[in-house]
Amino acid sequence: MEIAVLVKDVPDLVEDLELDGEGRLAYDDLQYVLNEFDDHALEEALILKAEIGARVTVVAVDTGDVDAMLFSALAKGADRALKLTGDFDRSLSSRARSHALAGFLRSGNFDLILAGVQAIDDLEGQVPGLVAGLMGLPHAAVVSEVHATPGGSIRFRQEYAGGAMADFEARPPVVLGVQAARNPPRYVSVARVRQTMKSASLEEIPAEATEASVRLVRLYRPTAAGRAQMIEGGVDQVAERIVALLAEHKLLRS
């Protein structure tokens, strides 16, 4: 089985996010890490590799320095890592990213395409679905517990609102947006990554992406619209004050 894992580097949330003079995120001043949900997708692929001998290819669009992220994936156990190169930058939209990915994936013979259900820097959750749509493949999101059956089909669990779960089976090829792997993503040491950088190499493939129909113009810092009101006193006093506030805002029925 051939598995492709789509990964993206995102700003490290332990860093402060700053805007530049044009109201855009100061991308060059940030530290980047592997998107958490993509890490779960990679872990699920590596579990399948151990179970059935699948071959795992990790793919990233080169919007900056993605080398360390890809070498980390190789150090964890991926068989192949490549970056799609072109006129891309950090502001690349999900739609444009999906076009670049789908263009490459069409040239491969992948049975299973995994990606994180969403990226923490935009929370759009569009890439897996867009890639599937562009390739004409079946797709499911918010997925966990991906298994390969002896008959060659893919079984997975999908979560719905309210915590409801459903089990599905699909014939490959299929695209899945992974929410959680069966195991926590494995840790790889910095020393192991550096060793991999010396012994392995990344593939570079030219790619193109269509322009997005929606363009980000400016970001703004949120402004405080109000403050929380702390109510002091005993239980009876607090209860009375809450009832009074509800009545004041016409939230009580007579």
Side-chain angles (χ1 to χ4, degrees):
M1 175 178 286
E2 292 286 338
I3 302 177
V5 182
L6 314 181
V7 298
K8 178 184 179 182
D9 57 334
V10 296
D12 190 342
L13 294 184
V14 302
E15 302 287 335
D16 291 331
L17 302 182
E18 299 292 342
L19 300 180
D20 60 22
E22 298 180 353
R24 296 178 178 272
L25 201 61
Y27 294 105
D28 294 338
D29 297 334
L30 300 174
Q31 297 294 321
Y32 291 85
V33 295
L34 173 62
N35 176 46
E36 178 182 356
F37 292 103
D38 294 342
D39 204 6
H40 279 270
L42 174 58
E43 180 62 29
E44 200 73 343
L46 295 176
I47 293 173
L48 286 170
K49 176 182 177 179
E51 290 178 342
I52 62 172
R55 186 167 183 261
V56 178
T57 299
V58 180
V59 187
V61 178
D62 188 13
T63 55
D65 186 8
V66 298
D67 290 14
M69 176 181 66
L70 291 174
F71 277 118
S72 295
L74 290 173
K76 288 186 175 188
D79 301 286
R80 182 186 178 202
L82 56 90
K83 56 183 179 180
L84 306 182
T85 60
D87 186 20
F88 309 132
D89 58 32
R90 295 285 185 188
S91 63
L92 188 69
S93 71
S94 294
R95 179 170 292 276
R97 184 182 301 272
S98 300
H99 273 274
L101 291 167
F104 161 73
L105 294 168
R106 288 192 194 96
S107 65
N109 189 27
F110 296 103
D111 304 292
L112 178 61
I113 300 172
L114 300 178
V117 67
Q118 63 185 0
I120 62 170
D121 59 344
D122 56 35
L123 301 178
E124 291 180 350
Q126 293 187 6
V127 169
L130 286 170
V131 168
L134 290 167
M135 298 181 67
L137 298 179
H139 159 259
V142 198
V143 161
S144 61
E145 299 188 30
V146 182
H147 299 270
T149 70
S153 61
I154 305 296
R155 287 182 180 172
F156 56 89
R157 176 162 293 175
Q158 187 176 34
E159 182 177 349
Y160 292 87
M165 298 286 188
D167 292 327
F168 291 92
E169 185 170 333
R171 299 293 302 180
V174 63
V175 182
L176 300 178
V178 176
Q179 176 172 258
R182 282 175 270 169
N183 298 331
R186 63 196 65 188
Y187 169 78
V188 61
S189 67
V190 175
R192 177 77 177 274
V193 174
R194 288 175 177 171
Q195 183 180 6
T196 303
M197 288 179 173
K198 296 178 181 179
S199 60
S201 60
L202 305 178
E203 299 178 46
E204 296 187 17
I205 297 180
E208 295 182 356
T210 59
E211 290 293 332
S213 56
V214 177
R215 183 172 60 92
L216 175 65
V217 177
R218 186 178 179 88
L219 296 172
Y220 294 89
R221 289 189 174 277
T223 56
R227 303 276 184 214
Q229 181 177 346
M230 305 303 296
I231 303 175
E232 299 180 354
V235 174
D236 292 339
Q237 292 174 308
V238 171
E240 289 177 2
R241 181 55 181 153
I242 291 175
V243 171
L245 286 171
L246 292 174
E248 179 183 335
H249 290 84
K250 301 184 183 337
L251 297 175
L252 284 182
R253 291 183 180 178
S254 57

